[in-house]
């Protein structure tokens, strides 16, 4: 997958198992971005596994500096991206550990 953009920042909030808030600091300003982990889905509030998925993602990256590679935003204005923490591909890690599943259209990203 070819990425047009990349941002780096600190994860300041984990909304659920597939959405986080990132604080990007540039010399000019600080901005927050809502990031949706592209290609995966995790349980929503009220569904079995919601708390576990959220807590696992928090354990992985809350307060950590990450890189987000992306090409587009979704219809809600969130950045759809791959999150990398060092060499760890966070999207894939959530699937490998059973806290999320792969969207059919993205199966080739994780094989």
């Amino acid at each position: 997958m070819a990425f047009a953009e990349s941002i780096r920042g600190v994860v300041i909030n984990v909304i659920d198992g597939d959405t986080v808030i990132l604080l990007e600091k540039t010399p000019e300003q600080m901005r927050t971005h809502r990031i949706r982990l592209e290609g995966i889905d995790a349980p929503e509030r009220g569904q079995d596994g919601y708390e576990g998925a959220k807590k696992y993602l928090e354990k992985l990256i809350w307060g950590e500096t990450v890189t987000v590679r992306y090409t587009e935003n979704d219809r809600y204005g969130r950045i759809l991206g791959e999150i990398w923490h060092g060499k760890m591909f966070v999207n894939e890690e959530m699937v490998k550990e059973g806290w999320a599943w792969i969207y059919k259209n993205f199966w080739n990203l994780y094989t």
Side-chain angles (χ1 to χ4, degrees):
M1 178 177 241
F3 294 98
E5 302 285 336
S6 179
I7 56 174
R8 189 162 170 77
V10 176
V11 176
I12 60 170
N13 194 7
V14 174
I15 306 299
D16 57 27
D18 56 28
T19 308
V20 302
I21 305 294
L22 183 83
L23 176 62
E24 176 189 28
K25 296 178 186 179
T26 65
E28 300 81 34
Q29 65 182 350
M30 291 192 301
R31 298 189 306 189
T32 59
H33 303 277
R34 187 174 285 249
I35 311 293
R36 173 72 164 74
L37 281 72
E38 187 170 21
I40 69 169
D41 197 14
E44 303 302 326
R45 185 181 304 275
Q47 294 180 325
D48 288 344
Y50 166 81
E51 286 295 329
K54 180 180 177 187
K55 287 182 190 306
Y56 189 72
L57 189 55
E58 285 173 343
K59 179 180 142 189
L60 290 178
I61 60 173
W62 186 84
E64 299 291 337
T65 299
V66 299
T67 300
V68 179
R69 298 181 196 160
Y70 68 99
T71 55
E72 63 184 339
N73 292 34
D74 69 7
R75 62 184 174 183
Y76 304 109
R78 300 175 297 190
I79 292 172
L80 293 173
E82 288 187 354
I83 296 182
W84 291 85
H85 181 248
K87 293 182 179 184
M88 179 181 29
F89 181 20
V90 175
N91 306 42
E92 181 181 54
E93 183 69 18
M94 290 298 290
V95 172
K96 281 180 15 182
E97 292 301 315
W99 293 112
W101 53 92
I102 300 169
Y103 278 133
K104 262 188 188 177
N105 296 348
F106 294 94
W107 68 269
N108 60 339
L109 288 177
Y110 307 101
T111 56

